[in-house]
Each structure stands twice: as C-alpha cells, then as structure tokens.
Amino acid sequence: MEFAATTYSAWKNGESMDERLWGIVVDSFGKLLIPGLTVTIPLTLISFAIGLVLAIVVALVRVAKVPVAQRIVQCYVWVFRGTPLLVQLFVIFFGLPSVGIVVPAFPSAVIAFSLNVGAYASETLRGAILAVPKGQIVAGRNARLCMVTHGYAMKTEYRH
C-alpha cells in the first residue's frame, strides 16, 4: 500500500516514471540488498570451497581410471551436469523431506551448489590434467620431478 501511495503522490507531483522507479530502488537498497549480500557471499564462498575440493577428488578419480569408482564419479558428473541447478535445489530442499531427511534452507543450498560446482569444475580440471603432453611428463621426470598424477608434480630431491 505504501508503494501505491508513493507512486500516486509522485505522479500527482509531476515526476516521471523513471524518477519514481529510481526513488523506489534507492529507498529499498539498504533494506533488501545488504541483508541479501550477508547470505549470498558466505553461501558462494562456502559452496565454491567445498565444490572445488570435490572437483579435485572427482577429477583425480576419473584420471586414475579406477573402474568402479570411475563409473560412480562419471554418473555423478552426468547427473549434476545434465539437470538444471533449480531442479537440484528443489530435490534437495523439497524432495529429501519426503524420505525423512529434513535439511534447512542454507545447508540445502550449500549442498546443491557444492555438488553442482564439483561436477562442472571436475570436468575442467580433468581436461587440464589430460592436456599435459606425454613429452612434458617425460621432461618432468628427467628433471627429477615425481609425478603425483598426470600434471601435478613436485620436487623429489633438491641439491645444489
């Protein structure tokens, strides 16, 4: 009702629609945006951190070619890359309570975003690992680098 009264009084005073709209946006900025940011930023940081750890594990499993684990991880990536994020959020927040698992809103968002980020980022990491040519792997071994996996290397011995 306050919006309608403000809009009508602004119209009556001869203000244009743009000026009225801008006034509404400025008035509601602190009330809506700031509290939203206090939820969005932690949600993003937590989800990205968990998703990146998950992506590294998934990418290494896919590159290591462990048959059973690779199939499980491949199915996970296929499902989470093949369904919209909104569907994943709905399944976790609304679907899990139907089987007896009630998850509050923030943790369910963290779970959905983390699983989604993990699936997408794992494919990026897997592609980056597999992009290292065999010649560079051999050169790394000759330079006394120990291969942890196909692209991540560390010095095994350091002498002057």
Side-chain angles (χ1 to χ4, degrees):
M1 191 67 181
E2 181 180 324
F3 170 75
T6 306
T7 305
Y8 177 74
S9 66
W11 173 76
K12 195 173 185 180
N13 293 335
E15 291 182 39
S16 70
M17 183 64 178
D18 290 339
E19 291 170 349
R20 284 182 280 158
L21 185 61
W22 186 248
I24 293 167
V25 169
V26 169
D27 290 341
S28 63
F29 179 79
K31 297 174 189 170
L32 297 176
L33 189 63
I34 302 302
L37 286 175
T38 60
V39 173
T40 303
I41 291 174
L43 176 65
T44 303
L45 294 175
I46 293 168
S47 299
F48 183 74
I50 294 170
L52 194 57
V53 169
L54 181 63
I56 291 169
V57 171
V58 168
L60 292 177
V61 168
R62 297 240 2 227
V63 169
K65 297 184 178 163
V66 179
V68 174
Q70 186 179 13
R71 289 289 181 195
I72 293 169
V73 166
Q74 191 174 17
C75 182
Y76 153 72
V77 170
W78 177 71
V79 167
F80 278 89
R81 287 186 71 200
T83 56
L85 179 58
L86 189 59
V87 171
Q88 296 166 15
L89 284 164
F90 274 31
V91 167
I92 291 171
F93 187 71
F94 295 115
L96 289 180
S98 67
V99 293
I101 304 169
V102 178
V103 184
F106 190 83
S108 64
V110 168
I111 292 167
F113 287 139
S114 298
L115 291 172
N116 190 281
V117 166
Y120 277 98
S122 71
E123 287 299 295
T124 304
L125 292 173
R126 185 180 68 89
I129 292 169
L130 295 177
V132 178
K134 288 275 188 188
Q136 286 186 4
I137 294 172
V138 171
R141 285 185 183 150
N142 289 337
R144 293 187 188 157
L145 294 175
C146 172
M147 295 307 294
V148 176
T149 184
H150 297 283
Y152 297 104
M154 54 189 287
K155 271 287 203 201
T156 57
E157 191 175 310
Y158 184 76
R159 293 185 190 169
H160 286 297

